[in-house]
Amino acid sequence: MGTEEAETDLLTSDPGTSGRFGNFGGCFIPETLVPACQELEIAFREAWADEQFHSELDRLLADYAGRPSPLTICGRLSEELGTSVLLKREDLNHTGSHKINNVLGQALLAKRMGKSRLVAETGAGQHGVATATAAALFGLECEVYMGEVDMERQALNVFRMRLLGAEVRPATTGSRTLKDAVNEALRDWVATVETTHYCLGSVMGPHPYPWMVREFHRVIGSEAREQCLKQVGKLPNTVVACVGGGSNAAGIFSGFANDSQVRLVGVEPAGAATVGRKVPGVLHGSLSYLLQDEFGQVSEAESISAGLDYPGVGPEHSYLADTGRAEYHCVTDEEVVEAFGLLSRTEGIMPALEPAHALAWISRERADLAGEVVLLNLSGRGDKDAAQMVEYFK
Amino acid sequence: MQVSLDNHFSDLCASGRKCLVPYLTAGLEGWIECLHAAAEAGADAVEVGIPFSDPVMDGPTIQQASDKSLAAGTTPDSIIANLAKSPPPVPTIVMTYTNIAHHMGYDRFARSLADAGVSGAILADLPLNEAGPWCEAADASGVATILLAAPTSSDDRCRAIAERSRGFIYAVGLLGVTGERERLADSATMVASRLKALTNKPVLVGVGVSTPDQAVEASRVADGVVVGSAFVRRMLEGASPEDIGETVGEFRTALDTLL
C-alpha cells in the first residue's frame, strides 16, 4: 500500500499519511490527539493488510451482522415512479442500519490496540446503538454523546443504548445536535486518549477516519455491484445515497467509482446542504465543505433527520463534488416525509428518514430517470422515526 | 505594538523571571479594560481568545464565555479593531481555532493581526503537521506562531514542535480540555521537564493551571504559565477589571518568590 502519495483513483485510493483527498481532509486536531491518530493509522494499515483481521471481520459481518444484505428489486415502487428502483438493504443488518459495518471494524481494531473503552457521538442514535452493541459484544466500556435535542426525538435509541450497557451523555451546548455531540466526544477523548478509542461514526474527522470508515463500508458497494450484475444483469445507471457525514454514500459509491458510466448522486437535506454551498472550512479534524457564517462560525444545520443534521461533510465527498465524479443535490423535509410514506405503502418497507432523502430525490427526478435502473442505498430502517412521525402527522 | 516574541520571552527567562500570560475571552464585558489591568498587575504578555462556535479544546468555562461573547455579536474583526484601538502595554497573543483564520484567509488574518500590533498567535487545533501554510503566512507578517506540545507527544515530536514554535512552547499540562482543577496534574511538570531537556526555548505550561500555588509548582520546572479559566470564570461572575488585576497580581507575587 502506498503511504506517501495519494493515488489518483477516486474512492479506491489511499489518502497517504497526510490524509488528503485533493486539498480536503488532513488532521486538524489538538496536539494531544495527534499521536493517537497516528497510532490508529498504523494499526489500521497493519490490520487491513492482515488476512486474519479480515477473516475475523468477515465472520462477524456474516454471522453476527447478517451480511451480505440483500438487494431488493422494487415492483410496485418502480411501477409508480416509472424507473426501476433497486434497494441495497442495509436496513436489514443487525442494529438496523449500515453503521454496524464500521463499528465492528473499529471495535476489532480497538481490541487489537489494547483499548478498553469506546467513546462515540451519535445523531439519530444508529451509530450509538451500533457502538453500544459492539461494546457489549467485545466487553468494552462505552460512552455515547448525543445532542439533547436528538435524545428527545430519538428516545427509542437512547433506551436501546442504555439497555446495551452504554452510558448516554447529553450534549447540552450549541445546537444540541450531532455537531455538539462530536465536540463532546472529542473533549472526552482528549482526556482519556490513553485507554479509549474514539469510534467515529462517519467518513469525517481527522485522518485516518475518513479513509478508514470508507474502507469499513466498502463492503456495501462491493456486494451491491455483484448483486446488480447477478440480479438484473447489468450495472445501475444511477446510484443514490443520502449524505450527512456521508458514510453510507461513501460505502456504496466505492463499489462503482471505477465504472465511469454510473452516475453517483448524494442527497443532502435542504437545511444542511453543505456540499451544495461549497464553502470550505475546518471542523472536527478535517478541511472540507462546511456550513458557516461570514466570520467562520459554524452554522447550525436544520433537518427533520437527526442523522443528517450536521453542518460538515466527509472530505472525500467535497473532493468527489469538486472533481465532478459525484453530484450532490438537496431535498426538503416535506419531500422526505412523502418518500417515507411512499416506500412504506408501495413496498412494505419503512425507511429511516435519512435514506428517505435519497428516495425523495428519485421521486422528484422521476421524469429524468425514466427507464433507468436506479440503485438506492437503504441505509437504515424507520422504526426509530415512527414516534417522531406520529407527532409530525398530528 | 508588535514585538518579537522570541526576544521578549528569552530576555524574560534570562533575567530569571517566571513568565505569566493571562488568557481572556474577547468580547466579554470589559475585556479590553481587563487586559490593561492584567498588564499593569504584572502580566508579561496577554492572550486574547477570539471565540469560535466549536471550541473542542476548551472546557465549560471558556465554552460559556465563547457562547456569551458570540451571542453579544463579537466578530474576529471587531476584536482585532478593538485591540488596534487600545493596545495593551505588553505583547498580545491571539488564541483561536483554525477555521477563524482559514475563513478569513491565512494571509489576511495574519496581516490584520500584525496591523493591530498583535505579536503572536495560537491555533488550538492546528498541530505541527498541518501548520506549514499558516506559519508561513504568520512569519511573513511578523506574527509568532506558538505551537502546543502535549503529554502524549513523543520526544521526537516535541523536538520538532519546539523547533517550529516561536516565542515559547506551550506545554499542555494535562490530558484534557481547558478548565480549573483542584490540583496541578503530575503531567504538567513531566511534560515541562521533558521539553526543557529538548530545547533552549522558553517553555510555558498551560491548561489546568488554576491557582498561584499551582503556577509556582509548574514554574519550578517550566519558565512560566498561561492561566485562562481562573480569570475567565471571574469575568463571567462579574469581576471588574480591578478584580482581575488583583488576581493577576496574586499570581505575579507568587511567581516572584521563585526569583
Side-chain angles (χ1 to χ4, degrees):
Chain A
M1 216 181 307
T3 56
E4 289 306 319
E5 290 295 318
E7 294 157 24
T8 48
D9 287 352
L10 296 162
L11 282 160
T12 53
S13 71
D14 171 344
T17 47
S18 67
R20 283 300 198 282
F21 306 93
N23 289 324
F24 300 105
C27 189
F28 296 83
I29 43 169
E31 170 62 22
T32 308
L33 296 177
V34 172
C37 287
Q38 291 176 336
E39 181 200 2
L40 180 62
E41 180 186 352
I42 292 166
F44 176 64
R45 283 187 189 283
E46 281 172 7
W48 215 226
D50 178 358
E51 268 176 46
Q52 206 185 328
F53 182 86
H54 277 282
S55 70
E56 206 174 339
L57 180 56
D58 290 348
R59 185 187 57 79
L60 279 169
L61 289 173
D63 301 347
Y64 187 73
R67 299 207 74 91
S69 68
L71 186 84
T72 299
I73 303 174
C74 296
R76 295 190 60 228
L77 176 70
S78 299
E79 202 170 300
E80 176 142 351
L81 296 181
T83 183
S84 177
V85 179
L86 314 176
L87 302 176
K88 179 58 176 165
R89 300 293 306 278
E90 293 298 299
D91 60 316
L92 294 178
N93 293 336
H94 180 45
T95 71
S97 81
H98 72 292
K99 296 289 186 188
I100 194 78
N101 306 328
N102 167 45
V103 157
L104 288 174
Q106 287 201 44
L108 265 184
L109 205 53
K111 220 177 67 172
R112 213 176 144 104
M113 291 188 296
K115 306 277 185 181
S116 60
R117 177 173 175 268
L118 298 179
V119 58
E121 82 295 340
T122 198
Q126 293 302 88
H127 174 61
V129 167
T131 305
T133 298
L137 179 66
F138 290 108
L140 300 168
E141 242 185 282
C142 180
E143 211 149 308
V144 181
Y145 291 91
M146 188 169 188
E148 216 172 26
V149 170
D150 294 338
M151 285 180 73
E152 206 171 294
R153 58 181 169 176
Q154 299 288 351
L156 175 63
N157 274 343
V158 175
F159 172 77
R160 289 168 77 194
M161 288 184 270
R162 287 184 171 149
L163 184 70
L164 291 160
E167 286 280 342
V168 183
R169 299 207 182 277
T172 56
T173 55
S175 55
R176 295 173 294 138
T177 59
L178 181 53
K179 153 180 103 77
D180 310 284
V182 178
N183 288 342
E184 290 304 331
L186 282 168
R187 288 177 187 129
D188 180 305
W189 200 32
V190 169
T192 60
V193 61
E194 288 171 319
T195 57
T196 297
H197 171 68
Y198 180 14
C199 188
L200 215 161
S202 194
V203 288
M204 42 166 276
H207 179 62
Y209 286 100
W211 167 53
M212 178 176 76
V213 175
R214 178 248 276 162
E215 287 302 299
F216 284 140
H217 283 304
R218 175 178 293 286
V219 64
I220 305 172
S222 307
E223 284 177 9
R225 188 176 190 281
E226 209 170 293
Q227 289 164 325
C228 276
L229 290 174
K230 196 170 152 206
Q231 290 173 241
V232 297
K234 59 176 180 178
L235 291 176
N237 301 90
T238 303
V239 176
V240 190
C242 63
V243 174
S247 67
N248 90 80
I252 198 152
F253 287 177
S254 68
F256 301 90
N258 293 333
D259 301 311
S260 58
Q261 73 277 25
V262 177
R263 182 181 177 198
L264 306 177
V265 177
V267 184
E268 300 184 299
T274 311
V275 184
R277 287 180 214 169
K278 291 209 162 185
V279 184
V282 175
L283 180 70
H284 296 150
S286 52
L287 170 60
S288 190
Y289 288 130
L290 177 66
L291 295 181
Q292 54 197 311
D293 71 10
E294 58 182 305
F295 304 107
Q297 307 296 354
V298 179
S299 306
E300 294 179 5
E302 251 179 72
S303 169
I304 194 170
S305 140
L308 305 181
D309 206 345
Y310 182 68
V313 66
E316 195 165 23
H317 286 293
S318 295
Y319 184 50
L320 287 167
D322 258 22
T323 57
R325 179 62 190 95
E327 53 194 280
Y328 296 81
H329 302 286
C330 64
V331 293
T332 64
D333 285 352
E334 292 70 35
E335 291 174 307
V336 170
V337 171
E338 204 183 301
F340 177 77
L342 176 66
L343 191 64
S344 305
R345 221 164 40 240
T346 55
E347 296 293 327
I349 297 169
M350 181 168 67
L353 287 174
E354 290 79 19
H357 285 67
L359 180 59
W361 180 82
I362 296 171
S363 176
R364 190 178 70 203
E365 302 299 320
R366 67 181 82 178
D368 278 354
L369 299 170
E372 282 197 8
V373 175
V374 179
L375 169 63
L376 186 166
N377 195 16
L378 193 65
S379 56
R381 63 177 178 235
D383 307 47
K384 69 178 175 63
D385 301 312
Q388 190 188 345
M389 285 299 97
V390 169
E391 288 302 309
Y392 185 92
F393 287 122
K394 257 183 193 170
Chain B
M1 190 188 71
Q2 199 186 43
V3 300
S4 154
L5 285 189
D6 280 339
N7 295 341
H8 180 70
F9 281 98
S10 59
D11 288 354
L12 285 166
C13 290
S15 73
R17 180 178 168 102
K18 296 296 182 181
C19 304
L20 174 62
V21 181
Y23 163 98
L24 301 176
T25 302
L28 295 181
E29 204 185 321
W31 67 278
I32 281 278
E33 292 78 9
C34 286
L35 286 180
H36 285 261
E40 278 149 30
D44 297 300
V46 286
E47 190 183 325
V48 178
I50 298 181
F52 177 52
S53 53
D54 295 84
V56 295
M57 189 59 199
D58 286 305
T61 303
I62 294 177
Q63 282 176 46
Q64 201 194 329
S66 302
D67 286 348
K68 199 172 170 188
S69 173
L70 289 173
T74 308
T75 68
D77 294 318
S78 71
I79 292 165
I80 293 167
N82 275 304
L83 286 172
K85 203 170 76 186
S86 35
V90 293
T92 304
I93 299 163
V94 149
M95 184 271 170
T96 189
Y97 287 80
T98 307
N99 199 51
I100 296 295
H102 185 270
H103 190 79
M104 194 183 281
Y106 287 161
D107 286 326
R108 215 189 113 212
F109 186 63
R111 270 201 311 274
S112 68
L113 293 181
D115 290 347
V118 172
S119 302
I122 301 171
L123 300 175
D125 57 346
L126 192 70
L128 178 68
N129 315 47
E130 299 289 354
W134 160 252
C135 286
E136 278 174 36
D139 284 351
S141 289
V143 174
T145 300
I146 295 147
L147 293 175
L148 276 61
T152 48
S153 312
S154 66
D155 283 357
D156 281 350
R157 265 191 85 75
C158 284
R159 216 173 273 123
I161 289 165
E163 179 70 27
R164 192 63 192 79
S165 193
R166 303 264 189 271
F168 61 88
I169 294 114
Y170 190 125
V172 177
L174 50 78
L175 290 182
V177 293
T178 61
E180 293 172 274
R181 306 294 200 278
E182 287 289 317
R183 49 180 292 276
L184 188 75
D186 295 339
S187 52
T189 43
M190 279 167 62
V191 70
S193 68
R194 269 205 303 135
L195 283 161
K196 287 300 289 175
L198 297 169
T199 177
N200 294 321
K201 291 185 182 172
V203 174
L204 271 63
V205 175
V207 184
V209 182
S210 331
T211 64
D213 284 350
Q214 292 176 9
V216 168
E217 199 183 335
S219 299
R220 284 187 202 286
V221 181
D223 300 300
V225 290
V226 178
V227 181
S229 297
F231 300 125
V232 174
R233 174 179 53 81
R234 285 175 172 83
M235 287 177 76
L236 289 171
E237 290 167 358
S240 65
E242 293 72 34
D243 297 334
I244 295 298
E246 198 174 308
T247 310
V248 171
E250 287 164 15
F251 278 87
R252 182 76 266 162
T253 306
L255 286 174
D256 286 348
T257 61
L258 294 176
L259 269 168

